[in-house]
Amino acid sequence: LVGYNSDPYEGGATAAKIFYEMNGPGGVYQPVSTNPGAYGANLRVSGFVETMQELDPTCKMLEVLFPTNDANKAAEMVSASIVGNPDMTGVFVATSAPASGAASAVIEAGKSGEIKIAAFDADPQQVADLKAGIYDVLIAQDPYQMGYDAVMNLAKYVRGEITQEDLAAMFDDPGVVHYGTMALTRDNIDDPANKKFMYIAEVSEVGY
């Protein structure tokens, strides 16, 4: 049995590694979560913050912003942060909704390309925005395999092959297997092998 979630901490850590490759030492970074109590989103942020600080002890890590899942609020908060930190080099956003707001703030400030943006997920609009140069990194999960395993385990449960306790144990077991994430960039977004990491708008678009 495997769990149904990707490794949030590792996804954030991956974004930090790519930002470090892009920016080098001495970066100024704005992490953006959702809510203070959002477990998964905050693990993503922790992975980013802690890994970046390990890679670059000279970096400046700004206070985490909590705009909930409100894109407009994220835009306002990130805009204010850019004004207060004109040397900002990167924004990491834990989920897609506030990511669109953060991207708007960077564009409005005239800092596209100068301030790198990394966000979780890879919905169709995010992929288009990555190709257009709005995002620099998308940390995509594996929606196909996660959905496949969820249905398979549901079928096993209905057939009596696994119990409710078995399902609960997936999330309590510290050795649970997490699904991998993929860092999508403009260099690899058109690689056919990465298609499975991109989210679809219609089921008819599934081609694998």
Side-chain angles (χ1 to χ4, degrees):
L1 298 177
V2 295
Y4 297 139
N5 59 326
S6 58
D7 187 332
Y9 188 94
E10 184 56 35
T14 298
K17 293 171 185 175
I18 293 177
F19 267 2
Y20 185 68
E21 291 175 1
M22 291 179 173
N23 295 331
V28 179
Y29 298 101
Q30 178 61 73
V32 183
S33 185
T34 54
N35 300 297
Y39 179 75
N42 290 329
L43 273 179
R44 295 171 180 180
V45 169
S46 293
F48 173 76
V49 171
E50 292 173 8
T51 302
M52 181 59 75
Q53 289 173 332
E54 289 175 5
L55 291 170
D56 180 16
T58 68
C59 78
K60 180 180 179 182
M61 191 64 63
L62 303 173
E63 290 290 326
V64 180
L65 301 179
F66 295 100
T68 69
N69 278 304
D70 188 325
N72 292 329
K73 189 173 181 180
E76 293 173 0
M77 297 175 80
V78 173
S79 290
S81 183
I82 292 172
V83 171
N85 301 276
D87 55 348
M88 187 185 298
T89 54
V91 179
F92 171 78
V93 194
T95 63
S96 58
S100 64
S104 296
V106 172
I107 294 170
E108 184 67 23
K111 299 268 190 174
S112 294
E114 181 180 343
I115 298 178
K116 304 293 191 295
I117 307 175
F120 253 79
D121 297 321
D123 65 38
Q125 187 59 54
Q126 284 178 292
V127 170
D129 289 344
L130 173 69
K131 292 181 177 181
I134 295 173
Y135 295 110
D136 297 277
V137 186
L138 294 177
I139 304 299
Q141 302 179 76
D142 190 346
Y144 180 88
Q145 195 62 48
M146 292 167 76
Y148 181 90
D149 288 343
V151 173
M152 287 296 291
N153 280 319
L154 177 60
K156 291 177 182 179
Y157 174 72
V158 171
R159 292 195 297 262
E161 296 173 8
I162 58 176
T163 66
Q164 187 171 354
E165 288 72 24
D166 292 328
L167 292 172
M170 293 180 188
F171 304 98
D172 295 332
D173 183 358
V176 67
V177 176
H178 288 287
Y179 295 100
T181 56
M182 180 66 193
L184 299 175
T185 66
R186 280 181 289 282
D187 291 335
N188 66 17
I189 191 65
D190 292 320
D191 186 335
N194 291 334
K195 184 177 180 180
K196 70 174 185 174
F197 294 103
M198 300 177 211
Y199 310 164
I200 60 173
E202 300 289 341
V203 174
S204 60
E205 297 176 19
V206 176
Y208 40 87

